[in-house]
Amino acid sequence: MSSYETDAVVSATVHTKLDTLFRRNRIRVKELLEAGVKLDGQTVNVKGWGKTLREAGAGAFAFLELNDGSTFSGVQVVITRESTEGFEAAIESGGVGASFSVVGTVVKSPAKGQEIEIKATKVHVYGGVPDSATYPMSKKRHTLEHLRTHAHLRPRSNIHGAAMRVRNAMAFATHEFFNTRGFLYIHTPIITESDCEGAGEMFSVSTLLSKHPDGKLPTTTEGKIDFTKDFFDRPSFLSVSGQLNVETHCCALSDVYTFGPTFRAENSNTSRHLAEFWMVEPEIAFADLTDNINLAEDYLKFCVQYALDNCKEDVEFFNKTVEKGLIERLQATVGSPFERISYTDAVNLLLEPAHLKKGKFQVKPVWGTDLGSEHERYLTEVVYKKPVVIFNYPKDFKSFYMRLNDDGKTVAACDILVPNVGEIIGGSQREERLDVLEKMIIEKGANPEDYKWYADLRKYGTVPHAGFGLGFERLVRFVTGIENIRDVIPFPRWPGNAAF
Amino acid sequence: MSSYETDAVVSATVHTKLDTLFRRNRIRVKELLEAGVKLDGQTVNVKGWGKTLREAGAGAFAFLELNDGSTFSGVQVVITRESTEGFEAAIESGGVGASFSVVGTVVKSPAKGQEIEIKATKVHVYGGVPDSATYPMSKKRHTLEHLRTHAHLRPRSNIHGAAMRVRNAMAFATHEFFNTRGFLYIHTPIITESDCEGAGEMFSVSTLLSKHPDGKLPTTTEGKIDFTKDFFDRPSFLSVSGQLNVETHCCALSDVYTFGPTFRAENSNTSRHLAEFWMVEPEIAFADLTDNINLAEDYLKFCVQYALDNCKEDVEFFNKTVEKGLIERLQATVGSPFERISYTDAVNLLLEPAHLKKGKFQVKPVWGTDLGSEHERYLTEVVYKKPVVIFNYPKDFKSFYMRLNDDGKTVAACDILVPNVGEIIGGSQREERLDVLEKMIIEKGANPEDYKWYADLRKYGTVPHAGFGLGFERLVRFVTGIENIRDVIPFPRWPGNAAF
């Protein structure tokens, strides 16, 4: 049918994983490099994009590095004017960024740093790059800022490709971890009338704007927007967390988790915040704060080990170019227990004269107020040099749903802090006592009527339960060493930017 | 710490899968029933909710059926006034819907239909049900409508619990399928300025409504809403599909997929539509329509087989109570190749007098117009009695991004229809030729400026590629036999409803 079908030479030996129907007409670069010299002498068909194209021998031959995104490295293809069909077109394609199908023989490579290369008998150009000099992903080094403004092309860059492979691995590790342990994945709603935190700024979801492009929305007799004219008949928003919703399924199915996008309409134009980000939120029944912390530590270690085992090349790249010492840091994370310290002990520790002096805090920690990012980073990066769990926070700056401890002053909440990122997980045992919950809702100034359904979980067959939320982009930052959160998500959204 | 910790008697033999840290202080009902008589004589601690509580022997003992959501069945617990600590409290708890921790000995059951039961030495009530008669999930049979209005409690019903376990299995099967085949999971954005279809009605995402509760939005000098005052500086929406975005990563990383929520602001108050639903969208490079159809068939069969293998009890329940013949239908799905027929052949077939007579169509099929739901159901349910792939549709009612066939009239698109659901998958080979794509964008009345980034994928190193979208809720409906789409998602959203 189309030209590329004629290239369908398949090296069947490495296609063991494939099902009966979906037969790819190519071998992935990853499979090729992993098989290495085992494929010596075999004919293969590789397809991908040019990373470099270097002519040599006074135009008699050329080296084409081909990558298909399946792994960090490319494979070197040798094309010659004499014995490679399509040599001219390949040279004229522009090379970098152009797309190719290569048929050739696998041979041992004489060059350093690669076991094999391909001696091409045929090369087909799917698409060239018209003007190499203006190609936004040209061979030269680009700034992360430049890549961000070309988010549709940046998957072709080394760093974004590697970040996306690690992100994929962390997502799969998440599902693998929870599935193996018998958790059920629950899709909590994105559009909601509820406000989980009673705090975070939320985006409205509406059809009124497109219906009233003149900006004059229908109003009630009291002069307020008339939401009965809107799609959901009431004000509705993008969810800031799936927690309250996933609790409903926890209180029936015991061990559950949600993993989906969440939203904050905060005007934070920083390298740490996104308007749209993904969260992993497990919720476990018949469990207390210690169970919750144990689960969180297990889960984090599982993910880090998974990256070390399955993203070797990408992690090595990050270790070399983004954060020296990354691999060491990741190995240390899985190698020893997380430090666990109560909020009260943490504050007292920070107030010790030696730490006050060494920490040079802009704000002195005070019992009863939240720890600042400077305190958190100091604890995890300077004092303990490993992940730190802080638990039993004062109730005053924590949410209504957190279980009140017997001291009447603190709640069974926990934060997990990690070097380089700071807070990566926040969780708590949930208040399972109906009367205490109702009191806390009122104490926090929320409307009990809004949480009637949530209270029902305590009214009928209540159980002790707990859960946490992990900022998925923070996990990817932690594992890659990438500083800016905008560089670990395919299409970042921040104030003023929802492009693409 | 809390009372339930004292119950922590663990049957260590069945906890082989657990990691070092997160030790559950209970055995799941699923594990217990699977281990069966192997646990005979062992002490276990089971925790869950009462499904039934039946007193017998003139109040001397009682049967408590306990379920924790890990599987469809409950385990029978025998409590006696004489030898079970906490007997009185258990009786007074209300039973159905109350939550318990049971410590006891596993014994062979004299009763029919169960291998084992538990002779309880101790029972602890976490939470009772205050007034059994008004408990919304009381023992009597409830309508699906009643369950929907109690979406926070319906996970406790047999049908919703089973649906959620199957939904979880289908989500995991999806990740398993694509991960095993080397696909990368890409999180495409939810908030977007783009409109994938150029058609579907979209929800606006805005912070203007909460900033201007009086309904008077800021306007430009032309009298239009001034979106420079909104969060993203431009009109922004909830995505209707991740396809265009995921293509950017396909055109660099080759084999990718997205799986996330998508939105339609259509005023469809039917059992077939949701305002918020989940879609699975793979996108494959160096592939044509046939590769795409092969992938779709493989994927669907994998999911169905996964449900048959991993959700046996739940599928048997649906087979018995929701759709007689469900298991047979699922087995037939995996047992033979899908039928493949071109759109033109399908229309000609439907126009044959015998079929016109048998089909009793309200609208006669006409070449050049889309097939109606009645034609699709007739093909898959009456003519072929199995999944049917229809391909090469007229370009006039298909999207601009679908590859134009050589006849100049049809595009390389495909729909997959399945019995009971109708269309479950829609896909196409994408137009990879820049000039043809640009012509189609204009022909469809879209603004080329809006799709400049999308066209860039063709300008620089274009490759043949293809992909499809599967409506995830339709898959769950297909596998469970559940009719109403509102019953296969935790919190359904439709016009007038974003409750919870």
Side-chain angles (χ1 to χ4, degrees), chain A residues 6-31:
Chain A
T6 59
D7 300 335
V9 180
V10 180
S11 180
T13 49
V14 291
H15 280 185
T16 49
K17 274 187 192 167
L18 291 182
D19 261 9
T20 44
L21 277 167
F22 178 55
R23 296 203 179 282
R24 273 177 299 128
N25 51 2
R26 64 186 175 104
I27 180 170
R28 289 206 184 95
V29 172
K30 184 181 180 173
E31 297 159 329

PDB file of all heavy atoms in Angstrom, chain A residues 6-31:
ATOM      1  N   THR A   6       7.152  -1.729   1.878  1.00  0.00           N
ATOM      2  CA  THR A   6       8.112  -2.545   1.127  1.00  0.00           C
ATOM      3  C   THR A   6       9.381  -2.804   1.935  1.00  0.00           C
ATOM      4  O   THR A   6      10.155  -3.679   1.608  1.00  0.00           O
ATOM      5  CB  THR A   6       8.505  -1.839  -0.180  1.00  0.00           C
ATOM      6  OG1 THR A   6       9.075  -0.569   0.155  1.00  0.00           O
ATOM      7  CG2 THR A   6       7.294  -1.618  -1.057  1.00  0.00           C
ATOM      8  N   ASP A   7       9.562  -2.041   2.997  1.00  0.00           N
ATOM      9  CA  ASP A   7      10.763  -2.206   3.814  1.00  0.00           C
ATOM     10  C   ASP A   7      10.609  -3.278   4.889  1.00  0.00           C
ATOM     11  O   ASP A   7      11.467  -3.453   5.732  1.00  0.00           O
ATOM     12  CB  ASP A   7      11.111  -0.901   4.528  1.00  0.00           C
ATOM     13  CG  ASP A   7      11.375   0.209   3.550  1.00  0.00           C
ATOM     14  OD1 ASP A   7      11.750  -0.074   2.407  1.00  0.00           O
ATOM     15  OD2 ASP A   7      11.188   1.364   3.925  1.00  0.00           O
ATOM     16  N   ALA A   8       9.476  -3.955   4.864  1.00  0.00           N
ATOM     17  CA  ALA A   8       9.132  -4.787   6.009  1.00  0.00           C
ATOM     18  C   ALA A   8       9.979  -6.051   6.107  1.00  0.00           C
ATOM     19  O   ALA A   8       9.515  -7.166   5.888  1.00  0.00           O
ATOM     20  CB  ALA A   8       7.652  -5.141   5.981  1.00  0.00           C
ATOM     21  N   VAL A   9      11.224  -5.866   6.457  1.00  0.00           N
ATOM     22  CA  VAL A   9      12.082  -7.004   6.750  1.00  0.00           C
ATOM     23  C   VAL A   9      12.165  -7.116   8.253  1.00  0.00           C
ATOM     24  O   VAL A   9      12.585  -6.194   8.940  1.00  0.00           O
ATOM     25  CB  VAL A   9      13.486  -6.807   6.168  1.00  0.00           C
ATOM     26  CG1 VAL A   9      14.360  -8.003   6.497  1.00  0.00           C
ATOM     27  CG2 VAL A   9      13.412  -6.578   4.673  1.00  0.00           C
ATOM     28  N   VAL A  10      11.721  -8.211   8.777  1.00  0.00           N
ATOM     29  CA  VAL A  10      11.611  -8.326  10.231  1.00  0.00           C
ATOM     30  C   VAL A  10      12.603  -9.358  10.749  1.00  0.00           C
ATOM     31  O   VAL A  10      12.733 -10.439  10.193  1.00  0.00           O
ATOM     32  CB  VAL A  10      10.189  -8.745  10.626  1.00  0.00           C
ATOM     33  CG1 VAL A  10      10.070  -8.853  12.127  1.00  0.00           C
ATOM     34  CG2 VAL A  10       9.187  -7.760  10.072  1.00  0.00           C
ATOM     35  N   SER A  11      13.272  -8.979  11.794  1.00  0.00           N
ATOM     36  CA  SER A  11      14.140  -9.942  12.444  1.00  0.00           C
ATOM     37  C   SER A  11      13.323 -10.680  13.485  1.00  0.00           C
ATOM     38  O   SER A  11      13.148 -10.228  14.605  1.00  0.00           O
ATOM     39  CB  SER A  11      15.302  -9.204  13.103  1.00  0.00           C
ATOM     40  OG  SER A  11      16.136 -10.115  13.734  1.00  0.00           O
ATOM     41  N   ALA A  12      12.793 -11.805  13.084  1.00  0.00           N
ATOM     42  CA  ALA A  12      11.790 -12.491  13.900  1.00  0.00           C
ATOM     43  C   ALA A  12      12.332 -12.957  15.243  1.00  0.00           C
ATOM     44  O   ALA A  12      11.600 -13.060  16.214  1.00  0.00           O
ATOM     45  CB  ALA A  12      11.225 -13.677  13.136  1.00  0.00           C
ATOM     46  N   THR A  13      13.606 -13.191  15.316  1.00  0.00           N
ATOM     47  CA  THR A  13      14.175 -13.760  16.543  1.00  0.00           C
ATOM     48  C   THR A  13      13.942 -12.905  17.770  1.00  0.00           C
ATOM     49  O   THR A  13      13.887 -13.418  18.874  1.00  0.00           O
ATOM     50  CB  THR A  13      15.699 -13.948  16.388  1.00  0.00           C
ATOM     51  OG1 THR A  13      16.238 -12.729  15.878  1.00  0.00           O
ATOM     52  CG2 THR A  13      16.018 -15.076  15.452  1.00  0.00           C
ATOM     53  N   VAL A  14      13.835 -11.600  17.604  1.00  0.00           N
ATOM     54  CA  VAL A  14      13.706 -10.755  18.781  1.00  0.00           C
ATOM     55  C   VAL A  14      12.269 -10.330  19.028  1.00  0.00           C
ATOM     56  O   VAL A  14      11.991  -9.523  19.888  1.00  0.00           O
ATOM     57  CB  VAL A  14      14.598  -9.499  18.665  1.00  0.00           C
ATOM     58  CG1 VAL A  14      16.045  -9.895  18.747  1.00  0.00           C
ATOM     59  CG2 VAL A  14      14.295  -8.742  17.407  1.00  0.00           C
ATOM     60  N   HIS A  15      11.352 -10.891  18.265  1.00  0.00           N
ATOM     61  CA  HIS A  15       9.955 -10.474  18.408  1.00  0.00           C
ATOM     62  C   HIS A  15       9.143 -11.456  19.232  1.00  0.00           C
ATOM     63  O   HIS A  15       7.976 -11.692  18.976  1.00  0.00           O
ATOM     64  CB  HIS A  15       9.324 -10.299  17.032  1.00  0.00           C
ATOM     65  CG  HIS A  15       9.686  -8.982  16.425  1.00  0.00           C
ATOM     66  ND1 HIS A  15       9.178  -8.534  15.247  1.00  0.00           N
ATOM     67  CD2 HIS A  15      10.511  -8.014  16.861  1.00  0.00           C
ATOM     68  CE1 HIS A  15       9.689  -7.350  14.966  1.00  0.00           C
ATOM     69  NE2 HIS A  15      10.508  -7.012  15.924  1.00  0.00           N
ATOM     70  N   THR A  16       9.749 -12.014  20.233  1.00  0.00           N
ATOM     71  CA  THR A  16       9.074 -13.053  20.999  1.00  0.00           C
ATOM     72  C   THR A  16       7.899 -12.530  21.809  1.00  0.00           C
ATOM     73  O   THR A  16       6.956 -13.245  22.086  1.00  0.00           O
ATOM     74  CB  THR A  16      10.067 -13.713  21.966  1.00  0.00           C
ATOM     75  OG1 THR A  16      10.746 -12.678  22.664  1.00  0.00           O
ATOM     76  CG2 THR A  16      11.074 -14.547  21.214  1.00  0.00           C
ATOM     77  N   LYS A  17       7.961 -11.266  22.214  1.00  0.00           N
ATOM     78  CA  LYS A  17       6.922 -10.729  23.093  1.00  0.00           C
ATOM     79  C   LYS A  17       5.630 -10.393  22.354  1.00  0.00           C
ATOM     80  O   LYS A  17       4.623 -10.109  22.970  1.00  0.00           O
ATOM     81  CB  LYS A  17       7.431  -9.452  23.755  1.00  0.00           C
ATOM     82  CG  LYS A  17       8.238  -9.694  25.027  1.00  0.00           C
ATOM     83  CD  LYS A  17       8.523  -8.354  25.653  1.00  0.00           C
ATOM     84  CE  LYS A  17       9.560  -8.448  26.750  1.00  0.00           C
ATOM     85  NZ  LYS A  17      10.043  -7.123  27.134  1.00  0.00           N
ATOM     86  N   LEU A  18       5.695 -10.352  21.047  1.00  0.00           N
ATOM     87  CA  LEU A  18       4.548  -9.824  20.311  1.00  0.00           C
ATOM     88  C   LEU A  18       3.422 -10.831  20.171  1.00  0.00           C
ATOM     89  O   LEU A  18       3.647 -12.034  20.073  1.00  0.00           O
ATOM     90  CB  LEU A  18       4.996  -9.369  18.931  1.00  0.00           C
ATOM     91  CG  LEU A  18       5.896  -8.140  18.956  1.00  0.00           C
ATOM     92  CD1 LEU A  18       6.253  -7.736  17.548  1.00  0.00           C
ATOM     93  CD2 LEU A  18       5.204  -7.000  19.673  1.00  0.00           C
ATOM     94  N   ASP A  19       2.225 -10.310  20.135  1.00  0.00           N
ATOM     95  CA  ASP A  19       1.044 -11.150  19.951  1.00  0.00           C
ATOM     96  C   ASP A  19       0.900 -11.567  18.493  1.00  0.00           C
ATOM     97  O   ASP A  19       1.647 -11.141  17.625  1.00  0.00           O
ATOM     98  CB  ASP A  19      -0.190 -10.376  20.393  1.00  0.00           C
ATOM     99  CG  ASP A  19      -0.583 -10.778  21.793  1.00  0.00           C
ATOM    100  OD1 ASP A  19       0.197 -11.511  22.430  1.00  0.00           O
ATOM    101  OD2 ASP A  19      -1.642 -10.378  22.232  1.00  0.00           O
ATOM    102  N   THR A  20      -0.076 -12.384  18.264  1.00  0.00           N
ATOM    103  CA  THR A  20      -0.282 -12.920  16.928  1.00  0.00           C
ATOM    104  C   THR A  20      -0.634 -11.861  15.891  1.00  0.00           C
ATOM    105  O   THR A  20      -0.187 -11.932  14.758  1.00  0.00           O
ATOM    106  CB  THR A  20      -1.445 -13.926  16.962  1.00  0.00           C
ATOM    107  OG1 THR A  20      -2.482 -13.344  17.753  1.00  0.00           O
ATOM    108  CG2 THR A  20      -1.004 -15.241  17.542  1.00  0.00           C
ATOM    109  N   LEU A  21      -1.428 -10.887  16.287  1.00  0.00           N
ATOM    110  CA  LEU A  21      -1.964  -9.981  15.281  1.00  0.00           C
ATOM    111  C   LEU A  21      -1.059  -8.787  14.994  1.00  0.00           C
ATOM    112  O   LEU A  21      -0.723  -8.502  13.856  1.00  0.00           O
ATOM    113  CB  LEU A  21      -3.327  -9.453  15.741  1.00  0.00           C
ATOM    114  CG  LEU A  21      -4.498 -10.365  15.471  1.00  0.00           C
ATOM    115  CD1 LEU A  21      -5.705  -9.896  16.234  1.00  0.00           C
ATOM    116  CD2 LEU A  21      -4.804 -10.406  13.978  1.00  0.00           C
ATOM    117  N   PHE A  22      -0.692  -8.095  16.049  1.00  0.00           N
ATOM    118  CA  PHE A  22       0.022  -6.846  15.846  1.00  0.00           C
ATOM    119  C   PHE A  22       1.502  -7.120  15.646  1.00  0.00           C
ATOM    120  O   PHE A  22       2.281  -7.144  16.568  1.00  0.00           O
ATOM    121  CB  PHE A  22      -0.196  -5.907  17.030  1.00  0.00           C
ATOM    122  CG  PHE A  22       0.565  -4.623  16.902  1.00  0.00           C
ATOM    123  CD1 PHE A  22       0.409  -3.824  15.790  1.00  0.00           C
ATOM    124  CD2 PHE A  22       1.434  -4.214  17.897  1.00  0.00           C
ATOM    125  CE1 PHE A  22       1.111  -2.643  15.664  1.00  0.00           C
ATOM    126  CE2 PHE A  22       2.142  -3.034  17.792  1.00  0.00           C
ATOM    127  CZ  PHE A  22       1.980  -2.243  16.666  1.00  0.00           C
ATOM    128  N   ARG A  23       1.912  -7.348  14.410  1.00  0.00           N
ATOM    129  CA  ARG A  23       3.314  -7.585  14.103  1.00  0.00           C
ATOM    130  C   ARG A  23       3.925  -6.290  13.614  1.00  0.00           C
ATOM    131  O   ARG A  23       3.550  -5.769  12.572  1.00  0.00           O
ATOM    132  CB  ARG A  23       3.444  -8.617  12.990  1.00  0.00           C
ATOM    133  CG  ARG A  23       2.934  -9.967  13.377  1.00  0.00           C
ATOM    134  CD  ARG A  23       3.559 -11.043  12.523  1.00  0.00           C
ATOM    135  NE  ARG A  23       3.061 -12.336  12.947  1.00  0.00           N
ATOM    136  CZ  ARG A  23       3.500 -12.957  14.032  1.00  0.00           C
ATOM    137  NH1 ARG A  23       4.435 -12.426  14.771  1.00  0.00           N
ATOM    138  NH2 ARG A  23       2.991 -14.123  14.378  1.00  0.00           N
ATOM    139  N   ARG A  24       4.905  -5.808  14.345  1.00  0.00           N
ATOM    140  CA  ARG A  24       5.577  -4.608  13.869  1.00  0.00           C
ATOM    141  C   ARG A  24       6.518  -4.949  12.729  1.00  0.00           C
ATOM    142  O   ARG A  24       7.146  -5.999  12.730  1.00  0.00           O
ATOM    143  CB  ARG A  24       6.367  -3.962  15.012  1.00  0.00           C
ATOM    144  CG  ARG A  24       5.507  -3.014  15.839  1.00  0.00           C
ATOM    145  CD  ARG A  24       6.300  -2.466  16.985  1.00  0.00           C
ATOM    146  NE  ARG A  24       6.735  -3.557  17.835  1.00  0.00           N
ATOM    147  CZ  ARG A  24       7.979  -3.748  18.210  1.00  0.00           C
ATOM    148  NH1 ARG A  24       8.930  -2.930  17.814  1.00  0.00           N
ATOM    149  NH2 ARG A  24       8.289  -4.758  19.003  1.00  0.00           N
ATOM    150  N   ASN A  25       6.593  -4.053  11.781  1.00  0.00           N
ATOM    151  CA  ASN A  25       7.460  -4.277  10.638  1.00  0.00           C
ATOM    152  C   ASN A  25       8.828  -3.632  10.861  1.00  0.00           C
ATOM    153  O   ASN A  25       9.402  -3.035   9.959  1.00  0.00           O
ATOM    154  CB  ASN A  25       6.809  -3.711   9.374  1.00  0.00           C
ATOM    155  CG  ASN A  25       6.351  -2.278   9.576  1.00  0.00           C
ATOM    156  OD1 ASN A  25       6.555  -1.709  10.647  1.00  0.00           O
ATOM    157  ND2 ASN A  25       5.777  -1.688   8.564  1.00  0.00           N
ATOM    158  N   ARG A  26       9.305  -3.703  12.096  1.00  0.00           N
ATOM    159  CA  ARG A  26      10.604  -3.122  12.414  1.00  0.00           C
ATOM    160  C   ARG A  26      11.089  -3.702  13.728  1.00  0.00           C
ATOM    161  O   ARG A  26      10.310  -4.263  14.500  1.00  0.00           O
ATOM    162  CB  ARG A  26      10.508  -1.603  12.544  1.00  0.00           C
ATOM    163  CG  ARG A  26       9.624  -1.187  13.707  1.00  0.00           C
ATOM    164  CD  ARG A  26       9.405   0.304  13.767  1.00  0.00           C
ATOM    165  NE  ARG A  26       8.465   0.626  14.807  1.00  0.00           N
ATOM    166  CZ  ARG A  26       8.792   1.139  15.994  1.00  0.00           C
ATOM    167  NH1 ARG A  26      10.046   1.394  16.275  1.00  0.00           N
ATOM    168  NH2 ARG A  26       7.877   1.388  16.891  1.00  0.00           N
ATOM    169  N   ILE A  27      12.358  -3.515  13.992  1.00  0.00           N
ATOM    170  CA  ILE A  27      12.889  -3.857  15.307  1.00  0.00           C
ATOM    171  C   ILE A  27      13.195  -2.549  16.007  1.00  0.00           C
ATOM    172  O   ILE A  27      13.705  -1.597  15.407  1.00  0.00           O
ATOM    173  CB  ILE A  27      14.137  -4.764  15.199  1.00  0.00           C
ATOM    174  CG1 ILE A  27      14.676  -5.100  16.589  1.00  0.00           C
ATOM    175  CG2 ILE A  27      15.228  -4.141  14.328  1.00  0.00           C
ATOM    176  CD1 ILE A  27      15.761  -6.176  16.570  1.00  0.00           C
ATOM    177  N   ARG A  28      12.827  -2.466  17.295  1.00  0.00           N
ATOM    178  CA  ARG A  28      13.110  -1.231  18.031  1.00  0.00           C
ATOM    179  C   ARG A  28      14.600  -1.122  18.310  1.00  0.00           C
ATOM    180  O   ARG A  28      15.291  -2.128  18.498  1.00  0.00           O
ATOM    181  CB  ARG A  28      12.350  -1.213  19.352  1.00  0.00           C
ATOM    182  CG  ARG A  28      10.868  -1.028  19.211  1.00  0.00           C
ATOM    183  CD  ARG A  28      10.272  -0.393  20.484  1.00  0.00           C
ATOM    184  NE  ARG A  28       8.819  -0.297  20.378  1.00  0.00           N
ATOM    185  CZ  ARG A  28       7.973  -1.195  20.864  1.00  0.00           C
ATOM    186  NH1 ARG A  28       8.436  -2.259  21.487  1.00  0.00           N
ATOM    187  NH2 ARG A  28       6.669  -1.033  20.741  1.00  0.00           N
ATOM    188  N   VAL A  29      15.083   0.111  18.411  1.00  0.00           N
ATOM    189  CA  VAL A  29      16.493   0.354  18.707  1.00  0.00           C
ATOM    190  C   VAL A  29      16.858  -0.302  20.039  1.00  0.00           C
ATOM    191  O   VAL A  29      17.920  -0.905  20.202  1.00  0.00           O
ATOM    192  CB  VAL A  29      16.803   1.865  18.722  1.00  0.00           C
ATOM    193  CG1 VAL A  29      18.216   2.123  19.225  1.00  0.00           C
ATOM    194  CG2 VAL A  29      16.605   2.465  17.332  1.00  0.00           C
ATOM    195  N   LYS A  30      15.959  -0.198  21.003  1.00  0.00           N
ATOM    196  CA  LYS A  30      16.197  -0.789  22.315  1.00  0.00           C
ATOM    197  C   LYS A  30      16.434  -2.307  22.212  1.00  0.00           C
ATOM    198  O   LYS A  30      17.386  -2.845  22.779  1.00  0.00           O
ATOM    199  CB  LYS A  30      14.990  -0.509  23.208  1.00  0.00           C
ATOM    200  CG  LYS A  30      15.175  -0.987  24.620  1.00  0.00           C
ATOM    201  CD  LYS A  30      13.953  -0.720  25.492  1.00  0.00           C
ATOM    202  CE  LYS A  30      14.271  -1.241  26.856  1.00  0.00           C
ATOM    203  NZ  LYS A  30      13.471  -1.051  27.917  1.00  0.00           N
ATOM    204  N   GLU A  31      15.562  -2.971  21.467  1.00  0.00           N
ATOM    205  CA  GLU A  31      15.698  -4.416  21.291  1.00  0.00           C
ATOM    206  C   GLU A  31      16.995  -4.751  20.560  1.00  0.00           C
ATOM    207  O   GLU A  31      17.691  -5.715  20.886  1.00  0.00           O
ATOM    208  CB  GLU A  31      14.505  -4.957  20.492  1.00  0.00           C
ATOM    209  CG  GLU A  31      13.171  -4.785  21.196  1.00  0.00           C
ATOM    210  CD  GLU A  31      11.976  -4.845  20.247  1.00  0.00           C
ATOM    211  OE1 GLU A  31      12.111  -4.445  19.067  1.00  0.00           O
ATOM    212  OE2 GLU A  31      10.909  -5.286  20.681  1.00  0.00           O
TER     213      GLU A  31
END
